[in-house]
Amino acid sequence: QNNQTERNTLPPKKLGMRKPTNKSPKPKIAFSKEKNSNEKNSKNNGSRKFHRSSESEAGNSDPTKDPSKLSLEDSDLEDNELIDEKLPRDTWHYTNGSETAIALTNENSLLDVAKHMHVDDLSSDDNEDMINTIGRVPLHWYDEYDHIGYDKSGEKIIKSQKMDEVDRAIAAKDDPEYSRTVYDAYNDKKIVLSQREMEIVRRIQSGAFPHPEFNAEPDYIDYYSSQVIETSLSTRNLPKSKFLPSKWEAMKIKQLIKAAKQGRISLDEPKKENKEKYFDLWSNEEDEKAKSYLPQHLPAPKIPLPGHSQSYRPPEEYLLSKEEEKKAKFVPKLHKSLREVGQYENLARERFERCLDLYLCPRQFVKKVNIDPETLVPKLPHPRDLRPFPSELCLTYGKKGSPRVVSISASPDGQYIASGDDSGCLHIWEVPTRRKLSTLNLRKVAKITDTEAGLAHLAWNPNPNHHIIAAAIGKYVLIISTGTAGGDSFDLTEALLSASSSQFSSKIESDNKNAADEENAEDSTDIESEEENEVDLSKKVKNRPLRNNIFGGKWLSVKMVDDSLSNNGRLQLRALIKCVGDVGWVAWHKKGDYLVSVVSGSKEKRGSVAVHQMSKAQTQAPLKKKEKNVSQCACFHPSQPILFVATKHVVKAYHLLKQKAVKELKTPCKWISYMDIHPTGDHVLLGSLDRKVMWYDMDLTVRPHVSFKYHQEAVRCVKFHNQFPLMASASDDGKVHVFHASVYSDFLRDPVIVPLKILKGAGITGKLGVLSLVFHPKQPWLFTAGADGVVRLFQ
C-alpha cells in the first residue's frame, strides 16, 4: 500500500447522481490509499469502500461522531438518500482499508457484505438468478407463443407487455432509476444496476481496469540493494577483451559438446544425494577387498537326512527279503536297542566319495524362475463367442442292431447322405425327412463270393453336377449313379458315364478280334437280380475286362439295358474297376473327374495307389517305385496337381506334373488311420490308432505343428469343414471332439485351435465306437456313424 493519494476526475452523470443545488466546483472522486498498521484488518478489507467525507475533516480520528460520513454500499438506502445536497461533491472519495470505513460498516452490519463484494464480482456463475430453464434455446422459437419458457416448478413464464416509445419517454422522466435499468430478455425481467456495477461499466468504457481495487502500477521494491555506487573504484577504462567472448571458454564448450555426443559425459545426470554413510566397525576392509577378486563361494549340497530305512528299529515294511538284500545298496537291520548298533561298514568309503564329489564335481548357481502356471496357458476365446458349431443331437438314421456303418458321405448340396455297412449294402438317406431312398447290395452286384469282404470306404463326387458315388469293396471300386440328378445335372452325369461306355465299346471290338482266346476277354458274368426297397435289377448286364495293360487296375464295363432307371432316385452300378488287392480307400478330386484308390495290405507294392479318370476310363499308377511301408490313404490337393499319400508312419506329397516327391511329413505315431486336407491346401490333419490327432502346416516344418491326445481309444476319422472354421475327430471311445480351427493367410499368425464340444457320436459295440464322420457341405452340422448301426446328425 502507498500513503500517496491518487485523484481521478469522474463525471457525475455516469455515476447516476443528481446535481447539487449549491454552486460548488465540479465534484472529484479520488482513490485514497492509507497504510493500515493492523495486518489482520488489511486482509479482511481487500475491497475498497466508497464513502463521503469533508476535506477539512479528513484527519478526524473518530468517524462515528460525524453524521455526515455514510457508506455508499448500504444496499438498504436509495441513491437519492446517499447523496446529500448540502455537502459538496468534492467530498466523495474512494478509500482503501481505512479505519473510518471499517468502523462505519461494522456499525451498520455491512462489513461482512463488503468483504466478499470483490469476490462476487469476479464470479461467473449466473445460474443463481436464472428463472427460465429452457437452456441454450433461441428465444425466437417462442415468438408464436404467449410464454418464453418454463420455471423450475414447470409453470409457464408469461410474456410481459412491452413498452412503446411513449412509455419509455415517460419512464425516463419519472423513474429516477431508468438510466441504470437494463432488460433481461431471457428471464423477462428488469434489472437495476448498483452503484458499483455502474462504476465497473464506466471504467470498462473508458479503457481502465474494471475493478477500482486493482493497482496497475505498484511501487517497485528493490529486493537486492538500495545503495547506489555513484563513483567507480578506478578511472581506468576497461580493456577491449572484456567486451569480447572468451576463446578459452569457446574451446572448452566444444570439448564438452564432443564428449556429450560420444557419450563420455551425461548432462542430465541426477544429483547425488548426500546420504549418511554407515560403517561396520567389526569388518576388515582388507579381507573384503581380497574376497572381491575371488570367484563367488558356492556352498556344497547338503547330505539328505536319514529316513525310516536308516533307523536302528525300522518298521517291518522296510525290512528286505534275502533276494532284495542282494540287489539293494543299503540293507536296513532291526536292533533291539541303540547300544547293539555296530559301526557302519561303509562310513569311511561314503565320506571319501563325498570328498571326491566336492573336490572334482563343478558347481554353479541355478536361478529359480518363478512363473505363474496360468501365464503359460494361452488365453483362448470362450466357446460361446465361436458359434456356430454342432452341439446337440437332432436326427438319427437307421436302427440300433443293424450292421455297423463303416463309412458315410454327404452330397455336395447337403440334401442326401450315403452310408455303407460291413454287410456290403449301400443306403441313400434324405437328410430333412430321414427317409431311405434306395438300397443296393454291392456284394451281389460285384459277384463277390468272399463273405468277409465288406464295404471299406465310399465317397460322393464333390462336383454338384455329377451324382456319382465311388465305393470300395473287396478288390473292386464300384462307380454307382445315385439317381438324384435332375435337369442339367442328369445330362452332365450321363455324359461323364457315357464317355467311359464309348471307350468300352471300342475296346471290346479290338479285344474280340485280337485276343479272342484270352480267358479274361471270353469270360462273362451275370449279375443276379435283387429286389430290395423297390430296386429292380432283374436285367442282366455283362462285365468285360478292357484295360489289361494298365497296372493299377482293370476297367469292367456294365452295359445298361434299360436307361429309364437312371433318374428315378435308385442306385445303379455303372462301372467296375478291379485293383491289385483289397481296396481300403477312395477319394475324389475337387473337380470330380479323377478318383484315387489305395490298396492297403497288398503284397504287390507297385500299383497300390491308382488314379482313375472317369471321362476316359483310364487308370494310372503314379508311384512306380516300391514303397517300404504299406499305403493307408491318399488325397488330392484342392488347387494344385499334388497327391498326398500316407503310409503307417510317413506322409509324402508328390507333384504329378514334375513326377517327384515335394515334401515328406514325419509323424511320431505308430499307425496312421485317416488323413484330410484343409480347403486351402496348406494344412494336413492326421489321425492315428495310438489316440493322436496331428495338425501339420505345409509352410513350416515337417514335424507336427499341434498334436492332441484327448481320446482314450484309437482315432478312426478326422475331418475339416469346407466353409466354416471347424474340425472334428472320432474315436473308438464313442466320442467326437469338435474344434474351432481358424486359418489365416498371414504367415506371422498361427492357426487358432480351440476345443468346443465333446459329442457322443455312437454307442460302443465290440470295442468299436465312431467309425466315420462327415460335415454338412453348407451348414455347421455333423454326421457320425458308428458300430451300433445308427447315423446321427448333430446341429
Side-chain angles (χ1 to χ4, degrees), residues 91-344:
T91 60
W92 293 83
H93 299 284
Y94 281 99
T95 60
N96 183 18
S98 63
E99 296 180 357
T100 57
I102 292 172
L104 184 60
T105 54
N106 192 11
E107 182 179 355
N108 296 331
S109 301
L110 299 175
L111 181 59
D112 296 335
V113 179
K115 288 180 181 179
H116 305 285
M117 180 174 293
H118 182 54
V119 179
D120 294 338
D121 291 340
L122 296 178
S123 176
S124 60
D125 189 6
D126 298 335
N127 295 328
E128 296 179 359
D129 298 336
M130 287 294 178
I131 300 175
N132 199 348
T133 59
I134 60 174
R136 297 182 179 180
V137 175
L139 291 178
H140 64 82
W141 290 3
Y142 291 89
D143 291 344
E144 299 178 359
Y145 301 95
D146 58 344
H147 64 282
I148 60 172
Y150 303 90
D151 56 6
K152 295 180 180 180
S153 60
E155 297 181 358
K156 296 181 180 181
I157 302 176
I158 306 300
K159 296 180 181 179
S160 62
Q161 187 176 3
K162 296 183 179 180
M163 300 174 61
D164 53 4
E165 297 297 335
V166 178
D167 294 338
R168 291 175 185 174
I170 295 173
K173 190 172 183 179
D174 296 342
D175 189 3
E177 297 179 354
Y178 180 78
S179 60
R180 296 190 301 168
T181 305
V182 294
Y183 176 68
D184 184 5
Y186 189 79
N187 295 314
D188 195 14
K189 67 177 182 178
K190 296 180 180 179
I191 300 174
V192 179
L193 301 179
S194 63
Q195 193 69 26
R196 180 178 177 82
E197 292 173 347
M198 292 292 295
E199 175 64 15
I200 291 174
V201 173
R202 186 200 65 78
R203 292 178 65 86
I204 292 174
Q205 291 178 351
S206 62
F209 292 98
H211 296 281
E213 297 86 356
F214 182 76
N215 186 10
E217 298 178 355
D219 295 338
Y220 174 74
I221 300 175
D222 192 359
Y223 292 99
Y224 298 98
S225 176
S226 61
Q227 297 179 4
V228 180
I229 301 176
E230 296 180 357
T231 58
S232 60
L233 299 178
S234 64
T235 58
R236 182 181 176 183
N237 295 329
L238 296 176
K240 184 179 179 181
S241 61
K242 296 292 183 180
F243 301 95
L244 297 177
S246 176
K247 295 181 179 180
W248 173 259
E249 292 179 356
M251 182 177 65
K252 192 67 177 177
I253 291 172
K254 289 181 180 179
Q255 293 178 356
L256 293 175
I257 293 173
K258 184 177 180 181
K261 290 182 178 180
Q262 294 177 356
R264 291 185 282 109
I265 61 173
S266 179
L267 302 179
D268 298 333
E269 289 184 357
K271 295 182 179 180
K272 296 181 180 180
E273 298 180 359
N274 296 327
K275 297 182 179 180
E276 297 182 1
K277 296 182 179 180
Y278 299 95
F279 300 94
D280 188 4
L281 298 176
W282 310 106
S283 64
N284 191 355
E285 296 181 358
E286 295 180 358
D287 295 343
E288 291 180 358
K289 291 181 180 179
K291 291 180 181 179
S292 61
Y293 295 100
L294 297 176
Q296 188 177 4
H297 172 66
L298 299 178
K302 295 182 180 181
I303 300 176
L305 298 176
H308 294 288
S309 60
Q310 283 82 13
S311 174
Y312 72 95
R313 296 184 67 180
E316 295 181 358
E317 58 268 16
Y318 287 93
L319 298 177
L320 304 179
S321 62
K322 293 182 179 180
E323 296 179 356
E324 294 176 350
E325 289 179 357
K326 296 178 181 179
K327 300 179 181 179
K329 295 182 180 180
F330 175 77
V331 180
K333 296 180 180 180
L334 180 62
H335 302 277
K336 294 181 180 180
S337 63
L338 186 60
R339 292 177 293 178
E340 296 181 2
V341 179
Q343 185 180 3
Y344 182 50

Side-chain angles (χ1 to χ4, degrees), residues 12 15-21 50 52 68 70-72 77-89 91-92 180 195:
L15 290 175
M17 302 179 184
R18 292 182 296 177
K19 280 187 176 184
T21 55
F50 185 54
R52 55 185 180 179
S68 62
L70 298 175
S71 173
L72 286 181
L77 300 178
E78 299 285 342
D79 290 340
N80 299 331
E81 298 178 0
L82 291 175
I83 301 175
D84 192 357
E85 296 180 356
K86 296 179 181 181
L87 296 177
R89 295 199 177 188
T91 60
W92 293 83
R180 296 190 301 168
Q195 193 69 26

